[in-house]
Amino acid sequence: MNGTSLPTWLQIALPVFGVFSILLAWQFLLPFSGVPEYVAPTPTQIFEVFRTQMPMLWSNFKPTFVEAIAGFFFGNLAAFLSAVVFAYSRIVRLAYFPVVLFFNTIPILALSPIIILIFGLGMLPKIIIAAFICFFPTLVNMIRGLMSATPNEEELLRVLSATPWETFWRLRFPRSLPMLFASLRISSATAVIGAIVGEWIGSDKGLGALIIQATLNYQSGKLYAAIMMSSLLSISLFLLASSVERLVVRYR
Amino acid sequence: MLAVETKGLTIGYRAAGRDITVLSDVDLSVPEGEFLTILGPSGCGKSTLLRVVADLLPPLGGEISVLGASPADVRKRRQTGFVFQESTLLPWRNVAENIALPAKVGGKLKTLASPDRIEALIDLMGLTGLAQRLPSHLSGGQRQRVAIARALLTEPKLLLMDEPFGALDEITRDRLNDELLDIWRRTGMTVLFVTHSIQEAVYLGQRVMMLAANPGRIVAVTDTRPLKSPDNRCNRDAPDLITEMARQRAMLEQAS
């Protein structure tokens, strides 16, 4: 923050250097630190797991991927549709907004066993958990977003004799987009958390199940590989959300 | 026909089931084609009056007719344009898209937004070359120019302006005043222009309606035409005009 901006090549080189310095330190200093291998493998050991056990990792990645994407999609879609009802009905808002806030505070770990109990052990309960974790933050943000048009903007559309439908698509919806995408970016990480938590509690496949098995069997290489794949999944969802945002939102 | 006519009009707000009167017994006749400025301190009801004419607020009592019809009918016929103090441009639409907005809503006006017409309005308001700019990349004066162009798109018979230049610096304001007068001369529309600036009110208006606050009331309606040329031109520094401004100021001070 000293005012002068760095040359472009440095702006690219420095993050790369940062990552590699940590990987190198991890690789070469870890063996001297006395940390046992079953707690923390070196980067090459993790890479070795990726090289030799890719089919196994991939087959566990797929269900988590499907659950996270489906949960992300349905959770946010449901939140969007509910937000429209909340934004347009003061009665619904007064009656149910406190309930929304209450549900929003329930830790997902506390709720997941109930969802597994109701929906069994298939993929559906994981999708529901992932959807649930996405739903409330998006709902809260989206209600605010849809109601964030200024009084003057509402008056402008009224002077122009716009129909409620037109006011929604020309004013309220575009007004809400920055807040919608803010919560979609958050959802991209939480949807993956939801899917993995669901798999912890009741599943024998998926990255969550793999994490539990690898931990219990002291297979730290496998564990770290699973962790990296989970984070990869979050990052790709995040990048998807931000690139759509860059295409759609023209202002901040 | 009169552009605006009111008889015993009472205006104000309805809050928690009770009527809060801001201004009562307004008898006003504005002939078509007139430039009327409404001058007064904040809280006198000048903006409220404009909102009642625009059908943004229902009157609390009395009669009002706009262009021979009810305010709601005139609004639905799209014969009024409204310019707010804040330009109220939609930040995700560029200049051309903001100007085209009135043709995209309210029905039956799609043809108005032809590229030629938008371009003509952009040129008219001195915005040439800025068609693709987003509002966040415009100055305050440019934003108000876009807002005026947008209001002119539907070729309104009545232009309602609520302190449109109140947030601009003096030089920009003076320039926009002259441009507005030019457009008014060319189109022959009626303009109701709300301002708290005595200078602006006297310079622009053929008549100046002065309001006072607490309680809101009409203090005086002054005809400034004798001070100006027949097409409402005058020199900003003309002694007659300066004298009139001083007189208005004295009236305003006495009334408050």
Side-chain angles (χ1 to χ4, degrees):
Chain A
M1 296 295 160
N2 52 14
T4 56
S5 62
L6 292 168
T8 317
W9 72 269
L10 258 183
Q11 284 186 28
I12 296 166
L14 279 176
V16 175
F17 170 80
V19 170
F20 271 94
S21 66
I22 286 177
L23 282 178
L24 283 175
W26 181 1
Q27 177 72 34
F28 293 107
L29 297 182
L30 190 72
F32 300 104
S33 67
V35 178
E37 194 190 305
Y38 64 83
V39 173
T42 59
T44 45
Q45 283 169 319
I46 301 169
F47 181 75
E48 195 58 20
V49 174
F50 271 109
R51 205 175 60 80
T52 55
Q53 304 187 59
M54 200 57 209
M56 182 278 295
L57 287 172
W58 183 241
S59 72
N60 281 299
F61 178 81
K62 271 188 287 185
T64 312
F65 175 78
V66 172
E67 289 153 10
I69 295 274
F72 179 84
F73 179 77
F74 289 112
N76 284 308
L77 181 69
F80 173 78
L81 296 176
S82 320
V84 174
V85 177
F86 272 86
Y88 275 91
S89 166
R90 196 152 53 113
I91 291 174
V92 170
R93 232 168 26 242
L94 278 173
Y96 292 107
F97 198 65
V99 181
V100 169
L101 291 179
F102 167 72
F103 268 97
N104 201 14
T105 58
I106 298 181
I108 193 68
L109 271 170
L111 199 74
S112 304
I114 303 172
I115 295 176
I116 302 273
L117 273 181
I118 298 172
F119 295 99
L121 293 173
M123 268 172 122
L124 181 64
K126 284 83 177 181
I127 294 173
I128 291 173
I129 293 168
F132 188 92
I133 206 171
C134 296
F135 179 79
F136 289 101
T138 302
L139 176 61
V140 172
N141 255 359
M142 198 60 198
I143 293 171
R144 270 193 211 125
L146 286 174
M147 295 178 72
S148 65
T150 65
N152 272 349
E153 286 169 346
E154 303 269 3
E155 283 188 330
L156 170 70
L157 273 284
R158 187 175 150 79
V159 169
L160 300 177
S161 294
T163 61
W165 180 255
E166 286 167 341
T167 305
F168 180 80
W169 287 112
R170 300 282 179 189
L171 176 62
R172 289 186 161 212
F173 177 66
R175 257 267 168 257
S176 72
L177 282 179
M179 296 197 83
L180 173 65
F181 277 102
S183 53
L184 288 188
R185 272 183 273 122
I186 297 168
S187 294
S188 62
T190 52
V192 177
I193 295 176
I196 287 176
V197 164
E199 287 166 352
W200 277 0
I201 294 169
S203 185
D204 52 4
K205 53 184 192 307
L207 292 174
L210 186 64
I211 287 170
I212 294 286
Q213 286 163 14
T215 309
L216 295 179
N217 298 329
Y218 299 102
Q219 293 165 313
S220 64
K222 230 191 216 177
L223 171 64
Y224 277 64
I227 291 172
M228 285 180 71
M229 292 200 88
S230 323
S231 123
L232 205 71
L233 181 50
S234 293
I235 290 171
S236 24
L237 270 175
F238 182 90
L239 289 179
L240 181 72
S242 357
S243 34
V244 174
E245 179 179 19
R246 219 165 301 144
L247 284 177
V248 172
V249 182
R250 297 164 74 190
Y251 75 107
R252 244 151 256 285
Chain B
M1 188 170 58
L2 290 169
V4 180
E5 186 177 27
T6 71
K7 285 199 186 94
L9 181 71
T10 302
I11 60 173
Y13 297 92
R14 203 153 286 169
R18 283 196 15 225
D19 290 352
I20 297 158
T21 302
V22 177
L23 196 58
S24 54
D25 295 321
V26 182
D27 295 313
L28 179 66
S29 296
V30 185
E32 257 191 294
E34 185 175 83
F35 200 125
L36 175 79
T37 49
I38 303 167
L39 171 66
S42 48
C44 70
K46 55 192 194 300
S47 293
T48 315
L49 179 60
L50 215 56
R51 278 175 165 67
V52 170
V53 176
D55 189 41
L56 289 171
L57 267 181
L60 297 182
E63 288 171 37
I64 175 165
S65 82
V66 181
L67 300 167
S70 75
D73 285 342
V74 175
R75 172 174 66 77
K76 282 175 204 143
R77 275 191 248 144
R78 313 291 300 277
Q79 289 176 323
T80 43
F82 201 104
V83 180
F84 297 87
Q85 176 173 5
E86 299 86 30
S87 54
T88 317
L89 303 179
L90 302 182
W92 53 89
R93 296 174 81 95
N94 65 29
V95 167
E97 290 166 340
N98 263 294
I99 294 174
L101 181 71
K104 305 284 180 193
V105 298
K108 290 180 197 151
L109 292 166
K110 304 279 186 279
T111 50
L112 271 182
S114 73
D116 286 351
R117 177 151 171 73
I118 302 289
E119 207 185 299
L121 281 167
I122 286 175
D123 292 343
L124 174 73
M125 290 314 300
L127 296 162
T128 311
L130 302 178
Q132 306 303 320
R133 286 270 186 96
L134 288 177
S136 51
H137 296 284
L138 297 175
S139 70
Q142 287 169 335
R143 279 204 281 271
Q144 254 355 17
R145 287 165 190 271
V146 179
I148 294 171
R150 179 177 62 193
L152 293 176
L153 182 79
T154 57
E155 296 176 332
K157 289 189 171 162
L158 177 63
L159 184 61
L160 305 169
M161 307 184 87
D162 188 10
E163 300 189 34
F165 310 136
L168 303 180
D169 66 86
E170 216 169 321
I171 291 166
T172 310
R173 193 191 69 189
D174 287 352
R175 190 177 303 151
L176 278 166
N177 279 347
D178 287 329
E179 290 176 21
L180 176 63
L181 281 175
D182 273 341
I183 292 165
W184 167 75
R185 277 184 209 108
R186 257 184 279 169
T187 55
M189 61 186 170
T190 313
V191 179
L192 262 59
F193 188 105
V194 163
T195 179
H196 56 240
S197 154
I198 296 169
Q199 258 182 313
E200 196 173 42
V202 174
Y203 182 70
L204 287 177
Q206 293 178 304
R207 287 196 299 160
V208 178
M209 179 164 93
M210 184 187 285
L211 303 179
N214 307 316
R217 62 198 184 278
I218 299 177
V219 177
V221 179
T222 313
D223 198 331
T224 65
R225 272 168 290 202
L227 310 173
K228 301 173 180 176
S229 73
D231 61 349
N232 199 29
R233 265 178 227 277
C234 59
N235 188 335
R236 242 176 251 284
D237 306 316
D240 284 357
L241 215 63
I242 304 285
T243 313
E244 180 55 33
M245 287 171 191
R247 202 180 68 85
Q248 294 276 336
R249 181 178 302 277
M251 266 199 294
L252 201 58
E253 273 163 10
Q254 205 172 14
S256 54

